[in-house]
Amino acid sequence: MKLHEYQSKRIFAKFGVPIPKGEVATTPEEAKKIAQDLGGSVVVKSQVLVGGRGKAGGIKLAKSPDEAEKYAKEILDLEIKGLPVNLVLIDEAAEINNEIYLGITNDRGARMPVFMASAAGGVDIEEVAATTPEKIIKVHIHPLMGLQNYQVLDLAAGISLPRALWKEFDVIAKGLWEAYKNNDATLAEINPLIITADNHLKAVDGKMVIDDNALFRQKELNEQRDLTGENEAELKAKESDLTFIKLDGDIGCMVNGAGLAMATMDILDQYGGSPANFLDIGGGADEEQVAAALRIILEDENVKAVLFNIFGGITRGDQVAKGIVAALKEIKTDIPMVVRLVGTNSEEGREILAETKMITAKTLSEAAKKSVAAAKGEL
Ligand code: GDP
Ligand code: MN
């Protein structure tokens, strides 16, 4: 789950990171009022969950409240990479002498978070990493030990930060780490951390990504979630407790168990087919979930056939079958469906399915072959 810039910066501020004064607005009038209250120049910044806002015209420097109003209107009318701008942040403008990059993310290879700093801030860090990787200083943080004083010094020295700023840098680096750790983040980034004209450090941009698997204990953050731009099918699946990932193929897959779902995708590939999704309805899926899963699969316009591969264990074949029948009564579709049902109560399940027009298969390879043919319109 991504957080907006203003949300990220407010979290950083709670941990002692200095940020500009500012407020968010949803209308140009509100933006003007905020600019008046702040006094002086402000930056009007689109709050959308994609990068490259500046280049898309989503960040403007305003010299007066009237100008702030005008830019807010322009920016609120924008669409950035397909996303509408519903919110702008009005921040006190900073005078920038230098831009630094600071970021923490998980280094899976090292099995530890990694703290990165670069004197080449402000620009896209991926580009710095690709062209001049030596400009990025990295220290790994042991999750139990936390960020150590000497590591902060290594970072400060590594980016040749003037000595006069090391004390402030220490507070900011430790604050960023605490923000990362305490919010179950997978990314906490300040780009740029600026050196102001009066020689202080300030975070003018902020970005955080929270681990979705931790949202159950990050309830406050979860409530602030902005769903604009997230995959609708994946959100619906989450509501029904299904694990769903959209893919590019044309055969919808409904499978119980993640391992079996992967094997199903493999075997489709082996027979020249291509899965439209990964879907694990889980062990013990009920009628309701099966129906929800089928609806999600059929909403994808690319789907030309659906393959049900159900291995009854805890999941009972008759229950899955009832779910399919219930869903098909409600959803009218001509999409061909192939079903392979084995295990617990599969006999009862097959009897229930006999009343539908479904194509049955005894083995997984037969089911895969039939699905591939069905998707090509050959069945
Ligand atoms: P991003 O493009 O989405 O990463 O947005 P940023 O907040 O990082 O802003 C992009 C760039 O705009 C920064 O790197 C700065 O160069 C500039 N910028 C942002 N805020 C200010 C400000 O308050 N004053 C000035 N002069 N420039 C700013
Ligand atoms: Mn930035």
Side-chain angles (χ1 to χ4, degrees):
M1 165 189 167
K2 291 180 188 166
L3 294 184
H4 281 296
E5 174 195 358
Y6 81 95
Q7 295 168 322
S8 309
K9 285 201 299 202
R10 283 179 188 174
I11 291 175
F12 296 163
K14 272 204 290 190
F15 291 94
V17 176
I19 62 168
K21 270 195 209 136
E23 271 305 325
V24 283
T26 53
T27 65
E29 295 74 34
E30 267 181 87
K32 181 178 176 176
K33 173 78 174 50
I34 296 165
Q36 271 163 350
D37 292 347
L38 289 173
S41 301
V42 294
V43 262
V44 183
K45 310 180 81 175
S46 53
Q47 299 296 289
V48 279
L49 297 175
V50 288
R53 297 174 304 168
K55 276 186 204 149
I59 296 180
K60 293 238 162 76
L61 192 68
K63 297 211 172 59
S64 67
D66 284 328
E67 223 173 56
E69 184 180 19
K70 179 175 146 245
Y71 288 145
K73 181 171 181 345
E74 285 173 18
I75 291 174
L76 285 164
D77 281 341
L78 281 181
E79 222 179 60
I80 300 179
K81 294 186 185 161
L83 290 186
V85 181
N86 301 320
L87 202 62
V88 286
L89 171 65
I90 313 299
D91 258 359
E92 193 174 62
E95 267 186 76
I96 302 179
N97 270 358
N98 237 315
E99 305 196 21
I100 294 163
Y101 172 90
L102 280 192
I104 306 175
T105 189
N106 279 337
D107 181 343
R108 284 167 183 263
R111 301 183 190 176
M112 276 191 268
V114 59
F115 203 133
M116 295 169 290
S118 176
V123 293
D124 204 355
I125 197 65
E126 280 82 10
E127 206 174 300
V128 180
T131 54
T132 47
E134 70 281 0
K135 285 191 181 162
I136 302 175
I137 311 301
K138 293 181 184 177
V139 301
H140 285 92
I141 307 171
H142 191 285
L144 298 179
M145 308 262 283
L147 183 63
Q148 302 291 305
N149 290 330
Y150 76 89
Q151 296 183 305
V152 178
L153 296 181
D154 278 350
L155 289 169
I159 60 170
S160 307
L161 188 74
R163 287 264 176 171
L165 294 169
W166 282 24
K167 243 192 177 141
E168 283 179 43
F169 184 80
D170 183 75
V171 173
I172 292 169
K174 286 175 183 163
L176 189 64
W177 162 244
E178 289 299 323
Y180 178 88
K181 188 181 66 174
N182 289 300
N183 291 286
D184 288 308
T186 55
L187 176 76
E189 187 181 84
I190 302 174
N191 188 25
L193 174 73
I194 61 162
I195 302 180
T196 60
D198 57 356
N199 209 29
H200 287 289
L201 293 175
K202 199 183 265 184
V204 302
D205 191 13
K207 192 170 167 187
M208 275 186 103
V209 180
I210 309 299
D211 186 344
D212 283 343
N213 293 313
L215 288 178
F216 74 95
R217 65 180 185 194
Q218 297 292 347
K219 296 207 168 66
E220 218 176 292
L221 292 174
N222 196 22
E223 277 161 23
Q224 298 175 34
R225 185 167 197 154
D226 178 354
L227 299 175
T228 319
E230 291 199 33
N231 185 297
E232 222 170 285
E234 287 177 16
L235 287 174
K236 275 191 198 165
K238 191 168 270 170
E239 273 172 28
S240 303
D241 267 330
L242 302 161
T243 309
F244 176 92
I245 293 151
K246 177 159 170 31
L247 301 168
D248 300 331
D250 57 3
I251 301 173
C253 299
M254 164 122 59
V255 189
N256 65 323
L260 190 60
M262 287 187 263
T264 307
M265 289 160 61
D266 272 353
I267 201 158
L268 279 177
D269 183 68
Q270 196 181 321
Y271 287 102
S274 171
N277 63 277
F278 169 94
L279 172 66
D280 173 13
I281 60 170
D286 57 18
E287 265 181 57
E288 197 92 1
Q289 279 177 307
V290 173
L294 188 57
R295 256 179 252 127
I296 291 166
I297 289 177
L298 290 176
E299 261 168 39
D300 181 352
E301 284 170 9
N302 294 338
V303 169
K304 300 280 184 301
V306 181
L307 167 58
F308 294 77
N309 185 16
I310 306 296
F311 194 99
I314 299 168
T315 309
R316 284 167 40 198
D318 56 328
Q319 250 177 18
V320 174
K322 275 187 206 153
I324 296 171
V325 171
L328 287 178
K329 275 197 181 123
E330 190 191 318
I331 310 163
K332 297 288 165 230
T333 176
D334 294 326
I335 306 257
M337 303 200 187
V338 180
V339 59
R340 177 216 180 209
L341 184 60
V342 292
T344 313
N345 291 5
S346 55
E347 210 45 60
E348 291 89 330
R350 277 195 288 270
E351 272 166 35
I352 293 166
L353 289 176
E355 65 177 270
T356 67
K357 290 184 294 186
M358 296 184 94
I359 303 155
T360 54
K362 285 223 168 59
T363 64
L364 182 48
S365 37
E366 185 192 343
K369 258 187 247 173
K370 285 183 170 171
S371 312
V372 172
K376 288 183 184 151
E378 290 167 3
L379 262 193

